[in-house]
Amino acid sequence: MTAQAGTGRTNQKQRTRTAIVAAARELITTGAEVTMPAIARAALVSEATTYRYFPDLPSLISEALAGAWPPPAEALAPLGDCADPVERVAFACEFLLRGVLARQGAVRAMISASITRPDSAGARPGIRFGLIDHALLPLEGTLAVADSEAFAQLKRDLAVVVSAEALFTLTDLCRLDPEEAVTSAVRTATTLTEAAVRAIAR
């Protein structure tokens, strides 16, 4: 094989990979169900070809979502200098859940994969944890110092509520519409944070 032929094949592989990721990214933005066959069709390649580049759907989704979520500080930037942890948590919760709604096909696929294959859970972005940590920065010098376990528990509690799983429980099982679901989850997140703040004042 000549060097030129080798370079041409490498370039073709890169174009194919790029097309697959682009197709996945486009499908994700529609909020529709995200599957390997659907991505392959959109990329104009066979499903077998898609699997040659990506071993499974989570790995492809992870690459397609790379950079889709802003860093926590950037996400919470609209709050400015707000130091109220309750308001910060409310904003972070709504930000995450609306982002999930916009990408819910991909998020559902990732959750499904992590349930059937727990070893793949590490492939999920874990956006919630960074948002929660950043939202609770004002408590680092108060609750975290006065009662580190209570602070850690608050983070765990919020991880349950500020989550796609909570959102889908509210929409799929409780039959709330998306707006009602977001409002409900934000209310719960703020209630948890308010309780923690009140505990500091005692």
Side-chain angles (χ1 to χ4, degrees):
M1 180 188 297
T2 65
Q4 185 175 1
T7 300
R9 177 171 290 186
T10 298
N11 290 342
Q12 180 56 50
K13 286 183 176 180
Q14 185 56 51
R15 285 194 294 271
T16 300
R17 184 184 185 90
T18 299
I20 292 170
V21 173
R25 191 173 291 129
E26 180 65 27
L27 186 59
I28 287 169
T29 61
T30 68
E33 182 182 8
V34 178
T35 65
M36 280 296 216
I39 293 169
R41 285 194 299 273
L44 302 179
V45 299
S46 69
E47 187 176 349
T49 296
T50 305
Y51 276 110
R52 280 201 293 274
Y53 287 86
F54 297 93
D56 50 39
L57 184 58
S59 63
L60 173 49
I61 291 175
S62 293
E63 184 160 332
L65 284 177
W69 293 88
E74 184 180 326
L76 271 65
L79 287 171
D81 296 328
C82 174
D84 179 357
V86 176
E87 185 175 343
R88 290 170 66 87
V89 164
F91 186 93
C93 184
E94 182 165 354
F95 176 86
L96 178 81
L97 299 187
R98 292 198 181 283
V100 168
L101 286 172
R103 308 171 178 89
Q104 66 172 299
V107 176
R108 286 178 183 275
M110 294 291 274
I111 291 174
S112 176
S114 66
I115 290 173
T116 56
R117 290 174 42 211
D119 59 304
S120 70
R124 293 180 59 185
I127 307 298
R128 78 184 84 175
F129 301 107
L131 288 171
I132 291 169
D133 286 347
H134 199 74
L136 294 180
L137 282 178
L139 295 181
E140 290 280 358
T142 53
L143 179 60
V145 175
D147 191 338
S148 60
E149 178 51 34
F151 186 56
Q153 184 60 53
L154 173 60
K155 287 189 175 184
R156 290 191 290 268
D157 293 343
L158 289 175
V160 174
V161 178
V162 184
S163 68
E165 293 89 342
L167 178 66
F168 296 146
T169 295
L170 292 168
T171 56
D172 301 352
L173 302 181
C174 297
R175 302 299 182 186
L176 297 183
D177 68 42
E179 287 298 319
E180 292 173 325
V182 170
T183 298
S184 179
V186 170
R187 184 184 303 116
T188 303
T190 55
T191 298
L192 289 167
T193 309
E194 286 169 349
V197 171
R198 284 198 302 271
I200 303 172
R202 292 196 194 116

